[in-house]
């Protein structure tokens, strides 16, 4: 391993390549064997403020049809990097891009969906990001834009379970296939010990709300927490 690019790579990786062409490898947020910070721990890295600028990916640069055929043949949802991060501070979280949440605009996401639909008739997507449903305006604009553009698609997503409410679910019914959530544990003491900020009874109520809308609730669990 010659270099480690910390945080988001869209900006720093091209900067590193340009620097290497000039005989240098000094780039903020990039570390090498000869450039290791003296203090241990995660460095503070400036996050990308405008994800729309780097989206969507340049699909024509790789064997697009090969990947699309694989996804369609296996009835899989096509990944879209729609948001990044989460507001919470759970002890176990890796936070590879640092703290906080940021999202692409609904228009940017819809542009990518429309391109993929026209290119290969894709109509099922996975909104990548730990907490896509956090920004209620983006979600609302996405649903409204879907109808305005006449796009017939459904999607999967992930969210913190305490960011989900009845009003949000009413708008997602018939459009969202599944919602992935970090349940982690059904032991309240364990949840409190990792600063999860959720409670077992509240999670049960929310899961029932999700099921009533015909949405598939999918839980992630941590087995063997220290407590």
């Amino acid at each position: 391993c010659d270099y480690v690019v910390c945080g988001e790579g869209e900006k720093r990786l091209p900067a590193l390549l340009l620097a290497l062409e000039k005989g240098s490898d000094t780039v903020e947020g990039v570390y090498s064997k000869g450039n290791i910070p003296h203090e241990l721990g995660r460095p503070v890295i400036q996050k990308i403020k405008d994800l729309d600028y780097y989206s969507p990916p340049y699909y024509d640069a790789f064997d697009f049809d090969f990947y699309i055929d694989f996804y369609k043949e296996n009835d899989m949802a096509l990944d879209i990097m729609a948001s990044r991060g989460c507001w919470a501070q759970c002890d176990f979280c890796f936070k590879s891009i640092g703290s906080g949440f940021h999202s692409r605009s609904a228009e940017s996401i819809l542009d990518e969906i429309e391109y993929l639909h026209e290119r290969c008739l894709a109509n099922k997507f996975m909104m990548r990001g730990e907490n896509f449903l956090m920004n209620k305006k983006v979600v609302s604009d996405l649903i409204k834009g879907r109808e305005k553009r006449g796009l017939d698609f459904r999607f999967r997503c992930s969210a913190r379970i305490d960011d989900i409410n009845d009003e949000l679910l009413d708008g997602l019914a018939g459009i969202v296939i599944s919602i992935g959530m970090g349940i982690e544990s059904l032991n309240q003491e364990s949840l409190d010990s990792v600063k999860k900020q959720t409670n077992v009874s509240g999670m049960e109520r929310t899961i029932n709300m999700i099921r009533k809308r015909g949405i598939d609730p999918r839980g992630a669990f941590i087995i063997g927490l220290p407590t």
Side-chain angles (χ1 to χ4, degrees):
C1 179
D2 297 308
Y3 299 97
V4 174
V5 179
C6 298
E8 299 156 294
E10 289 93 340
K11 184 176 181 180
R12 294 184 190 94
L13 181 56
L16 172 62
L17 297 177
L18 290 171
L20 290 172
E21 285 184 349
K22 298 177 181 178
S24 171
D25 62 2
T26 303
V27 176
E28 183 264 345
V30 176
Y31 299 101
S32 65
K33 293 177 182 178
N35 179 23
I36 301 175
H38 294 292
E39 295 182 8
L40 297 177
R42 190 182 304 279
V44 178
I45 303 296
Q46 185 67 39
K47 293 174 68 176
I48 293 174
K49 294 181 179 180
D50 184 10
L51 288 179
D52 287 3
Y53 180 81
Y54 296 95
S55 305
Y58 183 51
Y59 286 106
D60 291 339
F62 60 94
D63 192 348
F64 187 85
D65 294 329
F66 171 83
Y67 289 101
I68 293 298
D69 289 344
F70 175 80
Y71 272 75
K72 292 170 72 174
E73 288 169 5
N74 292 278
D75 195 30
M76 296 170 65
L78 197 64
D79 288 357
I80 290 182
M81 182 56 72
S83 66
R84 292 177 182 171
C86 177
W87 59 265
Q89 296 292 326
C90 303
D91 278 353
F92 56 82
C93 187
F94 52 88
K95 292 190 179 298
S96 63
I97 61 165
S99 299
F101 171 88
H102 56 325
S103 172
R104 290 168 60 183
S105 68
E107 287 297 310
S108 173
I109 297 170
L110 286 165
D111 286 345
E112 185 171 350
I113 289 174
E114 191 163 11
Y115 168 84
L116 291 169
H117 183 70
E118 292 176 354
R119 173 79 183 266
C120 63
L121 300 179
N123 63 359
K124 189 183 296 183
F125 303 94
M126 174 66 192
M127 301 299 175
R128 287 294 173 191
E130 302 97 311
N131 197 13
F132 176 67
L133 298 181
M134 178 180 167
N135 190 322
K136 304 299 188 292
K137 184 179 186 308
V138 169
V139 176
S140 176
D141 289 347
L142 182 71
I143 302 303
K144 292 175 183 176
R146 174 183 180 272
E147 182 176 353
K148 184 177 180 180
R149 297 194 191 198
L151 295 171
D152 181 20
F153 68 86
R154 301 177 72 201
F155 66 89
R156 303 179 184 273
C157 64
S158 297
R160 270 189 62 96
I161 196 166
D162 51 354
D163 275 337
I164 300 171
N165 56 47
D166 271 307
E167 183 180 358
L168 176 67
L169 290 172
D170 285 341
L172 298 178
I175 300 173
V176 169
I177 303 167
S178 66
I179 301 176
M181 301 158 289
I183 305 298
E184 322 310 359
S185 173
L186 295 180
N187 182 297
Q188 191 62 51
E189 182 182 350
S190 293
L191 293 174
D192 295 342
S193 73
V194 294
K195 299 183 177 63
K196 183 65 183 178
Q197 301 182 60
T198 56
N199 63 77
V200 174
S201 60
M203 290 192 291
E204 290 175 348
R205 287 195 300 271
T206 302
I207 289 171
N208 287 331
M209 287 161 42
I210 293 170
R211 285 191 173 129
K212 286 180 181 178
R213 270 70 173 197
I215 299 171
D216 181 22
R218 297 192 170 189
F221 296 84
I222 297 175
I223 305 300
L225 284 168
T227 53

